[in-house]
Amino acid sequence: MKKYISLLSLFVIVVLSVACNKDDDHEEALRSTVYQLEATEGFNVTGTVTFTEGDDGTTNVLVKLVDSNTDEHPAYIRYSSGDEKDNIAITLKKCTCSVGETVVSKLDNGEPIDYDGLLQLDAYVSIHQSLEDMETIVSTVKIGTGH
């Protein structure tokens, strides 16, 4: 009986170790693009905006700020042309404690957009001073075709 349990245990271990060893060589690497945020006049807030392609057609937009305060900083992807008040393409999650992360699959108007679409968008990312001071942009970077 002890021999039977030992053989069964060995079999379970072998099956589990084979099942856990996926061959990841065949998986396609996800694409990623990094943009460097530049401080606007009078501010020192810099950082990066990283677009990472999701395997489900979405794009992860990660904003990391450097030299910002701990306020929540609203962030947007804005069209480079058009009326400044109505040029928001995508509302991003606010940067809290210098980081904001948003999964994007569509524009604010509901139109679908994927990683390649974002890279072709004539736009820029704007980081605002705070929820109370939306008029002040502390950092920005051109993306897509405007880059």
Side-chain angles (χ1 to χ4, degrees):
M1 180 73 164
K2 213 173 196 183
K3 186 175 180 183
Y4 175 73
I5 292 175
S6 294
L7 284 174
L8 182 60
S9 297
L10 180 62
F11 175 75
V12 168
I13 290 171
V14 169
V15 168
L16 287 176
S17 65
V18 169
C20 291
N21 286 334
K22 286 188 350 183
D23 186 5
D24 292 332
D25 293 338
H26 298 291
E27 288 185 23
E28 186 176 321
L30 299 177
R31 298 179 291 169
S32 186
T33 302
V34 179
Y35 298 98
Q36 298 296 318
L37 283 163
E38 297 178 14
T40 58
E41 189 173 332
F43 295 93
N44 294 323
V45 179
T46 60
T48 58
V49 177
T50 305
F51 292 174
T52 303
E53 180 181 34
D55 57 4
D56 59 356
T58 63
T59 304
N60 187 63
V61 179
L62 177 64
V63 178
K64 289 186 178 180
L65 302 178
V66 176
D67 290 332
S68 73
N69 55 29
T70 57
D71 287 345
E72 288 187 323
H73 294 283
Y76 300 92
I77 297 177
R78 297 176 174 270
Y79 297 111
S80 289
S81 58
D83 182 15
E84 286 298 313
K85 293 187 186 279
D86 296 323
N87 70 344
I88 295 174
I90 300 170
T91 302
L92 300 173
K93 291 191 178 170
K94 297 171 194 74
C95 298
T96 304
C97 294
S98 302
V99 177
E101 189 167 14
T102 308
V103 176
V104 173
S105 62
K106 60 185 175 180
L107 301 172
D108 280 5
N109 68 8
E111 182 181 330
I113 192 161
D114 61 7
Y115 178 82
D116 290 321
L118 280 169
L119 294 185
Q120 296 303 312
L121 201 62
D122 182 16
Y124 65 97
V125 174
S126 63
I127 309 298
H128 297 259
Q129 175 67 20
S130 67
L131 294 170
E132 293 76 31
D133 187 4
M134 291 292 293
E135 296 296 318
T136 304
I137 296 175
V138 297
S139 190
T140 188
V141 63
K142 289 186 179 280
I143 63 167
T145 59
H147 179 63

